[in-house]
Amino acid sequence: MPKQTPLSSTKKTASLAKALKENKEATQAVEKAADDLAVVHAVLDSELPKEVVSSDVDRAVEQTSELEKQLSASSEKLKKVNESLERELTNSKA
């Protein structure tokens, strides 16, 4: 069986740079979705009179709030991954 050789430093750096770029784009997309969902939640929560809101709509409003929280938490996790990738990328260039 042929011996596998590790990626060269240049290839590792390029891979890390690509992963970081893609992860930053994903972070921005998640942040935008969370912001958009927060707006939807605020509109639904404030614009609909409570007396005309069905239980389904009320559950949907609550669900938008939960989804926004989950997206925000995911965004924070992605930011931490970005920081780790940036540190690794900086260390691999040194």
Side-chain angles (χ1 to χ4, degrees):
M1 191 145 89
K3 184 178 179 182
Q4 292 185 355
T5 58
L7 288 175
S8 71
S9 179
T10 304
K11 285 184 181 178
K12 282 183 183 179
T13 301
S15 293
L16 284 173
K18 182 180 180 201
L20 179 59
K21 179 181 180 285
E22 291 173 354
N23 207 55
K24 283 184 176 184
E25 290 169 358
T27 302
Q28 289 174 340
V30 168
E31 286 174 342
K32 183 176 182 334
D35 291 344
D36 291 348
L37 195 54
V39 170
V40 169
H41 175 74
V43 169
L44 288 174
D45 197 37
S46 65
E47 297 287 328
L48 294 172
K50 296 297 179 197
E51 58 275 358
V52 298
V53 174
S54 72
S55 61
D56 288 341
V57 173
D58 195 39
R59 277 195 302 275
V61 170
E62 286 304 313
Q63 186 66 22
T64 61
S65 178
E66 288 304 311
L67 290 171
E68 187 272 329
K69 290 175 188 172
Q70 290 174 6
L71 283 169
S72 293
S74 295
S75 174
E76 289 305 313
K77 289 177 184 176
L78 284 168
K79 285 180 183 178
K80 289 179 182 178
V81 170
N82 288 345
E83 291 169 4
S84 294
L85 286 170
E86 285 176 340
R87 275 193 305 274
E88 188 64 31
L89 190 56
T90 299
N91 290 340
S92 71
K93 287 181 179 178

